[in-house]
Amino acid sequence: MRTCWVLDHPAHVRLLASFLRAGQSNDVIIATRRSEVESMLAGGDGHLPRRQTHWVDRPVGPQKRRIAFNRWRSSHAFLRQCMRESSAPIERVVAVGASIELLAWRSPVLRRRLSSIKERWYISDTEVNHIAHRLALKSATHFVLPIHWDESIDGGLLKGTKTATVHRLNGLHGHIHLRPSLRPSAVSNPPRVLVRRLVGDGIHDGDELIDIPESTLDGLLITQADEGAFHGDPWRLVGELAAHDGVITQSVTLASEAALLGVPTLLVSAAKRGFLDRLQDEGYPLFRWTEACEGDAWHNMHAQFLTGLHLTEALEPEDWPDARRQLATWLDSNLID
């Protein structure tokens, strides 16, 4: 089945990379212009196959509605062009948390439909992405949601999927693209900690972002991996996590990936996610702080995290679910690597 893969976020590139490798040579990509996504596609040899790619803008800022409409129109025009240039029609669109391209099977102006696109897949693990959810409900035919999805904060998404097919994934997105890896046998002196701060222009960052005080990093050997400012190979960022003694981050995605790899992680964010609750319930080394970093309680949490750097050998996390094969089965993917 010829597929259009939507790559909107660096974590989504990693999530879908193996499925692109197992896909067809005439598949196409719609990718969002953000520095890490551009770097990953530019340096994707060995990770991603070369595919015809259409670049679109991220709908953020005061003009986000106009940007979103232009993205819809641009994506529709690209899909129509792909149809005209090949005898093989595009039959499916697969998007992770980005739903504009699910609408692009029909024109935003003329309402003409690309009738060959019968399957429109919306994959999400972020309950609070309400705008994307509402758009997905208008057009998606398949939803992939984890079994730990918190319906109480999803803005009515799960209740609204009455006419679509809903697949419930047993695992986090990290279970799909990560592999359990060996951790350092001893903590470095000083401890090596990777730090990732966010730019803060995401659709829900304004309500979730909490500043990380510089004093939090005192006495640690820091690797800076801030959003849009990581100087290493972005494909190696996740691999870097397991090489560190700990992670301090504002990013819920990176926090989940690090915790899954057994790396003690201090997440400074007001974010609410079902996958964060699951990680804590299953005993992964995730330390969550959800308010301003001040007062005795904050200092106690910081101390617990620093102590946790030395206690990873006591962890007994749950078995690794085969979420990757589960998703491959639903997508009918010949995934072999």
Side-chain angles (χ1 to χ4, degrees), residues 129-325:
N129 200 5
H130 294 165
I131 294 176
H133 296 344
R134 288 197 294 270
L135 295 178
L137 286 172
K138 294 177 182 294
S139 195
T141 60
H142 294 72
F143 289 82
V144 178
L145 308 174
I147 60 173
H148 52 262
W149 183 264
D150 187 348
E151 188 177 355
S152 70
I153 57 173
D154 77 354
L157 175 68
L158 193 56
K159 289 181 179 177
T161 57
K162 302 302 184 185
T163 61
T165 301
V166 180
H167 308 270
R168 302 305 299 267
L169 186 75
N170 179 23
L172 281 67
H173 287 181
H175 284 124
I176 296 173
H177 69 87
L178 295 173
R179 293 290 179 275
S181 59
L182 294 175
R183 300 272 296 111
S185 57
V187 177
S188 303
N189 187 19
R192 298 183 65 228
V193 173
L194 185 142
V195 176
R196 183 171 177 83
R197 295 182 173 92
L198 299 179
V199 173
D201 61 352
I203 194 69
H204 40 258
D205 285 347
D207 297 329
E208 299 179 352
L209 211 63
I210 298 172
D211 289 337
I212 299 174
E214 286 298 324
S215 60
T216 306
L217 314 182
D218 290 347
L220 303 173
L221 182 61
I222 298 301
T223 298
Q224 295 286 356
D226 292 346
E227 181 184 9
F230 179 58
H231 297 301
D233 178 357
W235 284 104
R236 295 184 57 83
L237 176 57
V238 172
E240 283 288 315
L241 299 177
H244 284 74
D245 300 308
V247 168
I248 300 174
T249 183
Q250 296 171 319
S251 166
V252 295
T253 299
L254 192 84
S256 68
E257 292 169 338
L260 282 175
L261 293 173
V263 183
T265 301
L266 176 58
L267 172 62
V268 181
S269 172
K272 296 179 180 179
R273 304 284 191 276
F275 62 78
L276 297 176
D277 296 336
R278 176 169 177 170
L279 286 167
Q280 290 187 304
D281 291 345
E282 294 187 352
Y284 286 92
L286 177 64
F287 301 80
R288 294 171 68 182
W289 185 255
T290 60
E291 52 193 83
C293 298
E294 56 191 25
D296 290 343
W298 157 247
H299 293 298
N300 288 337
M301 173 63 74
H302 186 220
Q304 290 175 33
F305 165 70
L306 295 176
T307 301
L309 300 179
H310 301 269
L311 300 177
T312 54
E313 70 278 0
L315 292 175
E316 294 185 6
E318 298 289 323
D319 292 337
W320 195 274
D322 197 0
R324 187 164 175 259
R325 189 165 297 280

Side-chain angles (χ1 to χ4, degrees), residues 7-252:
L7 306 180
D8 189 68
H9 183 281
H12 306 166
V13 181
R14 286 189 284 268
L15 175 67
L16 294 178
S18 60
F19 296 94
L20 269 94
R21 292 195 297 268
Q24 298 184 181
S25 60
N26 60 354
D27 285 353
V28 299
I29 294 171
I30 296 179
T32 300
R33 291 188 184 94
R34 48 199 301 172
S35 59
E36 290 177 332
V37 172
E38 293 178 86
S39 296
M40 293 177 80
L41 266 66
D45 290 344
H47 303 281
L48 278 179
R50 297 288 178 176
R51 296 289 182 261
Q52 183 179 358
T53 301
H54 179 67
W55 290 94
V56 293
D57 292 320
R58 188 182 178 200
V60 295
Q63 299 295 319
K64 60 185 177 184
R65 290 182 180 273
R66 178 178 296 179
I67 296 170
F69 181 80
N70 289 338
R71 174 167 168 167
W72 180 3
R73 185 169 57 184
S74 174
S75 295
H76 176 78
F78 171 68
L79 292 172
R80 284 190 64 196
Q81 176 187 343
C82 292
M83 302 289 199
R84 290 195 302 266
E85 294 177 349
S86 173
S87 59
I90 293 175
E91 301 175 86
R92 176 173 61 181
V93 177
V94 177
V96 183
S99 50
I100 292 176
E101 281 63 44
L102 302 179
L103 295 173
W105 75 297
R106 58 183 174 88
S107 167
V109 179
L110 302 175
R111 306 299 179 184
R112 292 176 179 170
R113 298 187 176 188
L114 303 173
S115 59
S116 67
I117 302 178
K118 302 296 187 184
E119 294 188 13
R120 298 174 294 278
W121 289 70
Y122 182 68
I123 304 171
S124 182
D125 65 354
T126 305
E127 293 92 340
V128 299
N129 200 5
H130 294 165
I131 294 176
H133 296 344
R134 288 197 294 270
L135 295 178
L137 286 172
K138 294 177 182 294
S139 195
T141 60
H142 294 72
F143 289 82
V144 178
L145 308 174
I147 60 173
H148 52 262
W149 183 264
D150 187 348
E151 188 177 355
S152 70
I153 57 173
D154 77 354
L157 175 68
L158 193 56
K159 289 181 179 177
T161 57
K162 302 302 184 185
T163 61
T165 301
V166 180
H167 308 270
R168 302 305 299 267
L169 186 75
N170 179 23
L172 281 67
H173 287 181
H175 284 124
I176 296 173
H177 69 87
L178 295 173
R179 293 290 179 275
S181 59
L182 294 175
R183 300 272 296 111
S185 57
V187 177
S188 303
N189 187 19
R192 298 183 65 228
V193 173
L194 185 142
V195 176
R196 183 171 177 83
R197 295 182 173 92
L198 299 179
V199 173
D201 61 352
I203 194 69
H204 40 258
D205 285 347
D207 297 329
E208 299 179 352
L209 211 63
I210 298 172
D211 289 337
I212 299 174
E214 286 298 324
S215 60
T216 306
L217 314 182
D218 290 347
L220 303 173
L221 182 61
I222 298 301
T223 298
Q224 295 286 356
D226 292 346
E227 181 184 9
F230 179 58
H231 297 301
D233 178 357
W235 284 104
R236 295 184 57 83
L237 176 57
V238 172
E240 283 288 315
L241 299 177
H244 284 74
D245 300 308
V247 168
I248 300 174
T249 183
Q250 296 171 319
S251 166
V252 295

